[in-house]
Amino acid sequence: MINFDALGDAFTLLSTSWSAWVFVIPGLLVGLFFGSMPGISITMAMAIFLPMTLYMDFLPAIIFLTSIYTGAGFGGSVPAVLMNIPGTSSAVATTFDGYPMSRQGRHNEALGLALSSSVIGTLSSYILLMFIIEPVSGVVLKMGPLELFVVAIWGLMLLGSLAGDSIPRGLLAGTFGLLLGTVGMNSAGYIRGTMGIPWLLDGVPTIPAMMGLLAASQLLNLVNTRHLIEDEDLRKISLKKILNGFRESFQFKTIIARGAIIGVIIGSIPGVGSSISNLLSYSEAKRNAPDGDTFGKGNPKGVIAAESANSSSEGGAMATMLALGIPGGGATAILLAAFAMHNIVGGPSFIANNQDIVYAIIISNFAQALLLLVIGLGFVYFASYIVRVPMRYLIPSVLVVALFGSYAIDGTSSGPITLAVFAVIGWAMVRYNYPVAAAVVGLILGNLVEGNLLRTYQISGGDPAYALERPGALFIMALMVISFSLSAFSKMRRKRKEGAAMGAS
Amino acid sequence: MQKTGKIKVQWGHLALLAVLGTAILAYLLDARATSLRTNNLILVQPMSILALILLLMVLPQCFQRVPPAGAEEDHAALPATPKETPIELAKIGVVTGAFILLAFFMEQIGFDIAVFSFLVLGIFVCGERNWIANIAFSAVFTALLIYGYGAIIPFPFPLAVL
Amino acid sequence: MTSKLNRRTMLKLSGGGIAAAAMASPSILSAQDAYPSRPINVVVPFDTGGYNDRLARAFAPFLSERLGQPLNIINRGGAGALLGHTYFLQQPDDGYALLCTSAAPYLPLNILTQDAPFTIDQFHMVNLPSRDYTMLATSTESGITSIDEVISRLKEDANSLSIGIQPASADLVNLMLMADALGIDREALRLVTFDGGGPTRNAAAGNVVDIALVGGQGFLPLADKIVPLLIFDDAPRDGWNSKLITEVSADAQFVSGSQRGWAVHSSLVENSPEIYQTILTAIEETSKDPAVITALTNAQLATDWFGPEVSNKSLRATAAVMEQHISLLQGT
């Protein structure tokens, strides 16, 4: 729970070292800018500025890096909404409804929604963090393969609802993606499906493949259109509409709260993180919404669900890093490196001995989230001018940007080649009504599903009774079943009501 | 059962399924060639088989009976068939082809030349007829990307001219 | 991280370096007699944030000061360092490309299991300061307190404990060598395979697996969540209070874990001995500099000087043992 003495110290620390605050705005701007460039990951942005922090004091250094983290977390949503490009796997679910909204001329609203749900997500995750940082350290390491497998299956349930018109086509896309996700060396050291290409040992490069399936395929399909938004009147950039979207998200408190909780919990699991949490949150929102059918066609709730979850994952990952000294992903690994550069070793002893610093980090993250509101607003305002660029310029340019982004990931042509191959596959899938989103979800989850299924099998020796030894897994399973039956039940009730209403009229 | 109307084959759809099917089958065989132990096949084998079954279920949808005139409603029930004109399709083909060439050869050619050429061609095919605007935009955008991305990534771009 | 930023960082550190570079670089013709006359690239065959990346970035400013030229770190991760190693060999052997890598186990693994287009003799180790070791550990909650208990349970029933391990690793080779020496049925061991050292350690600390074998240095942050049971080395390491493999079984063979540090092209040593000598001296002096030792030790990075002879010998010894047990490295 909260230690108020330490909290007071933290305020003193932050108010006396005012220099720490100087770095928040530059950090946010750097993060927004890098995060919105496809292929530049949060990790890369932070790693680039890591050497600079060597010359700063500890607190300013950490505040600068976490500001980049916060900014970049939102930055990725901008290309996702405007161009269907998920620059990172945590922005995948944002594309599902954000991009359709843009094409309907609701880009202002979508960006406003994304910004406010991101900010609220970040804020609530850090509030939660204040309370859960200690219990988290006890629970996170207990997450074994069975628990993670159940979480992955929960994510896979999304495939069913992404299927669209034809269930077999949807499932085919999903299983195809899942298989793609298992290419390369598996957890037990077997090498499959690499066709002798060395870089496929690490699997199909996820981000280029996603950009190809979702973004490049779309762009190729749009070659014969003139503008992203057909109706000229809707092509306006309006601060008012952005603000409207901004306010709109406050109407969906349950979705945001659920997204934030999913984000914090999933985000705190090392190696899973925000790439899964946004999918889970989206899937839950879709299943529980009365207008679930319109998800994927530009429903604001989809954007809110995805953004609140991926931004709150940041808080979860920070909890694990602070409490255990282990990185949940690349970004927290960089933060730990920054700790080490200042002779501070993360981990249980760090929290116990430096509660004031921990609280100072948390408080400064509140401030970052609030400042992100203002800076992000300006950023999305200018970014949305992209909808006014004629398609004849936009298509080749964005294709090239995606190509540069895919090259930037590791500096070899593996990225561009993957991007081009999946652009063609994606284009053909879109043309014949296969849900590419299902393939992307499969691709992201493939490795997680296989690795954890395999480890569960190895630990248990194939004995199903093993599940009984894992109360955590049973609990997650129970949650899943309850969640599914509740939404099925409420759907049934809604149907009956509608039926009754129709009968009466 | 109405026997009237001809069967129309969606050749493109058929080709897509052929590609997916070949890829899945080849993957399954490759995995089985690597090792038959459970540690290797635990997910890949059942998933591949499931995918192939799903594929066989979808396959008949490539062959659609064109309803005789006056039966339009029936047709609407089927998933929409794509309908571009041949010229529109050709445009997509040109941009796609150029994009593939760019992706495969940009390292060899040099990013500057390759990207600039792709932009000029792409913008032209997509409908810009003002060459000055096209070339100016392509040049500026290429330079912007190369210096912009070049400044923030930890490896150099292979360049030919710049 | 980026070449440009790195140079800027260097500028702050060794102001004269850039100026010297700027003056020297136009005279490409005289490059031969005044090595180094332009910035030097350091190839790290892993992504940013890992041990080698951190080592290279922490060591580079000091080395740069001695060489009088900026050092650019180039990350070429992927495929278990295979891509980065190949890329390094493709660079000219003129002393303007150094390699900072986990030579063991990755070079032998590339060659033995991935059909690498190179041999180990194409790499010359200048110094491998970081030598990890396999550690067998368990969670504080597991109830297991000694290695003797583990051994007797495994002897009785090799399937009785779940063992967290990375496939195709030195740790796996060590486990199997130990099993053979102690008469434990290696086929019956219940192996649970993880992707990477971090997840393996987390599983051990969280009591998800009964025991785990994984590089010991990475366990330091988790020290109070685990019980160290056995170290695969002939001397105590990092202050762990546990038995050594040599105490458990006098004739057990073992391989050391990751051996990380600095390498150059072998052809550089043969063709340009003067340039090689410059690099060697610079790395040796930098490694022994007290300021460097303090800075790197603080960041939990190794800077001991073993020199080329010891480093190359130890790498080749590890490679030889791995080759003997090649079947272990191809999937479990």
Side-chain angles (χ1 to χ4, degrees):
Chain A
M1 285 293 117
I2 298 182
N3 176 338
F4 284 97
D5 289 343
L7 196 61
D9 291 344
F11 275 112
T12 326
L13 203 63
L14 285 171
S15 51
T16 47
S17 62
W18 59 269
S19 67
W21 295 103
V22 174
F23 295 103
V24 173
I25 290 178
L28 286 173
L29 280 173
V30 165
L32 276 171
F33 184 70
F34 279 56
S36 63
M37 289 178 70
I40 305 292
S41 61
I42 300 181
T43 317
M44 207 184 270
M46 289 170 72
I48 288 166
F49 287 91
L50 178 66
M52 249 172 85
T53 60
L54 195 57
Y55 307 99
M56 302 180 187
D57 287 333
F58 175 69
L59 197 59
I62 297 302
I63 287 180
F64 181 55
L65 287 174
T66 52
S67 301
I68 296 181
Y69 193 6
T70 307
F74 173 68
S77 326
V78 178
V81 169
L82 291 175
M83 291 180 281
N84 210 26
I85 296 184
T88 66
S89 45
S90 51
V92 167
T94 311
T95 64
F96 294 171
D97 280 287
Y99 181 68
M101 283 183 80
S102 285
R103 294 221 54 204
Q104 294 159 11
R106 291 155 74 198
H107 49 282
N108 296 304
E109 185 191 346
L111 287 168
L113 280 170
L115 179 60
S116 55
S117 15
S118 277
V119 168
I120 303 172
T122 313
L123 278 176
S124 36
S125 75
Y126 279 99
I127 293 175
L128 277 172
L129 179 57
M130 286 247 219
F131 295 96
I132 64 162
I133 195 156
E134 287 188 21
V136 142
S137 60
V139 173
V140 163
L141 288 179
K142 295 267 176 281
M143 293 289 289
L146 182 59
E147 287 80 3
L148 292 181
F149 179 67
V150 178
V151 169
I153 293 294
W154 200 332
L156 276 183
M157 294 294 175
L158 181 55
L159 289 181
S161 55
L162 285 176
D165 310 336
S166 156
I167 298 286
R169 289 191 198 194
L171 290 181
L172 177 58
T175 44
F176 179 64
L178 207 59
L179 285 170
L180 284 173
T182 64
V183 166
M185 197 200 292
N186 88 336
S187 296
Y190 292 105
I191 297 168
R192 308 87 40 108
T194 59
M195 300 176 281
I197 301 170
W199 47 265
L200 280 178
L201 278 174
D202 298 329
V204 175
T206 315
I207 293 174
M210 276 179 356
M211 292 202 291
L213 284 171
L214 288 172
S217 65
Q218 278 287 338
L219 288 166
L220 294 174
N221 253 336
L222 293 176
V223 163
N224 296 302
T225 52
R226 291 178 179 280
H227 278 94
L228 194 63
I229 302 164
E230 300 287 348
D231 188 341
E232 201 184 332
D233 295 336
L234 293 174
R235 237 176 273 150
K236 291 203 176 88
I237 316 299
S238 152
L239 195 61
K240 203 178 133 216
K241 282 191 181 160
I242 297 180
L243 287 170
N244 278 345
F246 207 89
R247 273 194 293 275
E248 193 184 343
S249 61
F250 287 92
Q251 295 167 15
F252 303 104
K253 295 190 186 71
T254 349
I255 298 180
I256 292 195
R258 188 169 48 218
I261 292 171
I262 291 177
V264 172
I265 293 174
I266 303 288
S268 66
I269 305 171
V272 181
S274 55
S275 51
I276 311 292
S277 65
N278 73 106
L279 295 177
L280 266 186
S281 167
Y282 182 86
S283 149
E284 286 299 297
K286 176 174 169 144
R287 221 158 15 76
N288 287 306
D291 52 353
D293 306 340
T294 63
F295 272 59
K297 295 170 189 153
N299 191 323
K301 293 177 195 165
V303 178
I304 298 174
E307 281 299 308
S308 57
N310 70 15
S311 56
S312 58
S313 303
E314 182 192 327
M318 289 280 277
T320 306
M321 184 204 84
L322 291 170
L324 294 168
I326 53 176
T332 39
I334 301 283
L335 278 177
L336 276 179
F339 274 46
M341 280 175 17
H342 291 89
N343 300 335
I344 289 170
V345 179
S349 55
F350 171 71
I351 290 207
N353 303 332
N354 301 286
Q355 283 201 326
D356 51 341
I357 295 185
V358 172
Y359 283 125
I361 293 174
I362 293 175
I363 295 166
S364 88
N365 270 289
F366 284 160
Q368 286 164 22
L370 292 174
L371 277 168
L372 177 64
L373 269 186
V374 183
I375 294 175
L377 209 56
F379 188 80
V380 299
Y381 182 78
F382 288 108
S384 55
Y385 270 92
I386 211 162
V387 302
R388 308 183 73 160
V389 179
M391 280 312 238
R392 58 183 188 275
Y393 283 98
L394 195 64
I395 291 173
S397 312
V398 176
L399 282 173
V400 169
V401 168
L403 213 56
F404 268 76
S406 64
Y407 186 85
I409 292 164
D410 63 358
T412 64
S413 33
S414 64
I417 290 173
T418 311
L419 175 72
V421 168
F422 281 91
V424 176
I425 296 179
W427 175 77
M429 287 174 76
V430 172
R431 191 175 152 87
Y432 294 105
N433 273 316
Y434 288 81
V436 275
V440 171
V441 171
L443 177 69
I444 295 173
L445 293 175
N447 199 20
L448 190 75
V449 172
E450 193 197 10
N452 288 300
L453 175 64
L454 175 61
R455 282 186 282 277
T456 308
Y457 166 76
Q458 289 168 331
I459 293 185
S460 64
D463 180 5
Y466 171 71
L468 301 176
E469 297 169 31
R470 305 294 303 180
L474 292 177
F475 177 70
I476 303 174
M477 270 187 244
L479 266 185
M480 184 160 93
V481 171
I482 292 171
S483 157
F484 274 82
S485 28
L486 273 183
S487 59
F489 179 69
S490 66
K491 194 170 265 174
M492 230 161 62
R493 255 193 12 195
R494 255 197 318 271
K495 277 231 173 93
R496 203 171 299 151
K497 239 185 216 164
E498 272 166 23
M502 242 176 324
S505 65
Chain B
M1 284 294 279
Q2 42 181 168
K3 293 271 180 196
T4 44
K6 280 198 297 192
I7 289 192
K8 190 166 178 270
V9 183
Q10 286 187 339
W11 290 108
H13 192 182
L14 205 58
L16 173 67
L17 287 182
V19 169
L20 293 186
T22 316
I24 295 167
L25 192 64
Y27 184 44
L28 176 62
L29 294 178
D30 187 44
R32 289 184 59 91
T34 303
S35 166
L36 292 176
R37 297 180 67 163
T38 315
N39 275 356
N40 181 32
L41 296 177
I42 190 162
L43 184 78
V44 172
Q45 178 153 310
M47 273 300 152
S48 310
I49 293 171
L50 174 64
L52 289 171
I53 293 172
L54 286 166
L55 198 140
L56 290 178
M57 285 170 66
V58 178
L59 196 60
Q61 297 175 7
C62 294
F63 306 95
Q64 291 183 348
R65 194 175 291 277
V66 179
E72 277 296 310
E73 321 77 82
D74 285 1
H75 192 58
L78 294 165
T81 356
K83 40 189 176 298
E84 295 108 342
T85 66
I87 293 176
E88 286 175 338
L89 209 54
K91 279 188 188 173
I92 297 177
V94 171
V95 176
T96 310
F99 188 59
I100 293 171
L101 287 177
L102 175 67
F104 276 83
F105 297 108
M106 64 202 257
E107 252 189 337
Q108 285 89 326
I109 302 171
F111 277 35
D112 39 9
I113 301 279
V115 167
F116 176 72
S117 321
F118 173 79
L119 282 174
V120 171
L121 175 75
I123 291 171
F124 174 74
V125 172
C126 290
E128 178 60 86
R129 292 294 174 264
N130 180 345
W131 282 103
I132 299 172
N134 181 349
I135 289 173
F137 175 84
S138 301
V140 170
F141 198 68
T142 306
L144 209 70
L145 274 179
I146 286 174
Y147 292 116
Y149 263 103
I152 54 176
I153 62 169
F155 20 74
F157 288 124
L159 299 174
V161 177
L162 286 177
Chain C
M1 169 102 190
T2 84
S3 50
K4 285 198 176 121
L5 263 151
N6 235 312
R7 260 173 240 158
R8 212 171 297 151
T9 320
M10 295 316 163
L11 188 62
K12 281 188 188 163
L13 276 173
S14 55
I18 287 266
M23 282 161 72
S25 54
S27 52
I28 293 168
L29 288 174
S30 66
Q32 285 265 293
D33 44 40
Y35 173 87
S37 59
R38 55 189 163 91
I40 298 166
N41 291 328
V42 177
V43 177
V44 176
F46 298 92
D47 292 333
T48 44
Y51 187 99
N52 289 285
D53 181 57
R54 290 196 296 123
L55 176 65
R57 285 174 200 283
F59 197 76
F62 301 105
L63 185 60
S64 153
E65 223 170 308
R66 276 190 181 66
L67 287 170
Q69 285 291 345
L71 263 61
N72 302 325
I73 313 287
I74 299 183
N75 294 89
R76 285 276 162 159
L82 175 64
L83 302 179
H85 288 149
T86 312
Y87 173 81
F88 170 73
L89 284 181
Q90 284 164 356
Q91 307 307 304
D93 53 349
D94 53 6
Y96 289 97
L98 308 179
L99 177 67
C100 180
T101 186
S102 294
Y106 288 102
L107 280 176
L109 277 177
N110 292 162
I111 293 160
L112 294 172
T113 67
Q114 298 176 316
D115 295 324
F118 50 72
T119 67
I120 225 163
D121 293 325
Q122 285 173 273
F123 298 86
H124 174 89
M125 301 299 129
V126 180
N127 186 34
L128 299 177
S130 159
R131 302 169 121 199
D132 207 348
Y133 47 90
T134 300
M135 188 162 93
L136 193 161
T138 185
S139 164
T140 44
E141 297 165 31
S142 69
I144 301 171
T145 52
S146 77
I147 186 66
D148 302 328
E149 193 182 334
V150 171
I151 292 172
S152 67
R153 282 177 70 176
L154 286 179
K155 270 186 178 166
E156 200 176 298
D157 176 7
N159 194 29
S160 61
L161 296 173
S162 57
I163 305 171
I165 203 149
Q166 294 176 77
S169 65
D171 310 316
L172 180 66
V173 174
N174 279 329
L175 173 66
M176 294 310 180
L177 291 173
M178 180 179 86
D180 291 351
L182 298 171
I184 296 166
D185 178 9
R186 59 151 86 170
E187 284 305 310
L189 288 170
R190 186 142 53 104
L191 301 183
V192 183
T193 47
F194 288 87
D195 318 298
T200 318
R201 289 183 196 99
N202 294 348
N207 204 15
V208 170
V209 289
D210 295 319
I211 57 171
L213 283 88
V214 60
Q217 288 171 343
F219 263 126
L220 289 168
L222 288 169
D224 51 5
K225 301 224 173 251
I226 56 140
V227 183
L229 295 175
L230 185 69
I231 280 175
F232 289 77
D233 206 338
D234 45 18
R237 299 290 302 265
D238 291 326
W240 293 115
N241 175 27
S242 79
K243 276 200 176 170
L244 304 175
I245 181 73
T246 45
E247 296 173 274
V248 172
S249 159
D251 51 325
Q253 261 189 305
F254 67 90
V255 290
S256 48
S258 297
Q259 296 168 37
R260 314 177 183 102
W262 302 88
V264 294
H265 296 83
S266 292
S267 47
L268 173 78
V269 186
E270 285 156 32
N271 303 338
S272 323
E274 317 79 37
I275 294 181
Y276 169 65
Q277 195 56 47
T278 314
I279 297 173
L280 179 68
T281 317
I283 293 183
E284 179 169 2
E285 284 175 9
T286 312
S287 303
K288 291 176 174 171
D289 180 344
V292 178
I293 294 175
T294 320
L296 268 71
T297 313
N298 278 337
Q300 295 181 332
L301 296 166
T303 163
D304 308 82
W305 174 256
F306 295 103
E309 203 174 314
V310 175
S311 300
N312 282 300
K313 208 175 128 195
S314 142
L315 172 64
R316 275 175 180 68
T318 305
V321 182
M322 286 174 74
E323 195 172 353
Q324 270 176 34
H325 301 279
I326 183 167
S327 62
L328 288 178
L329 305 173
Q330 291 163 331
T332 40

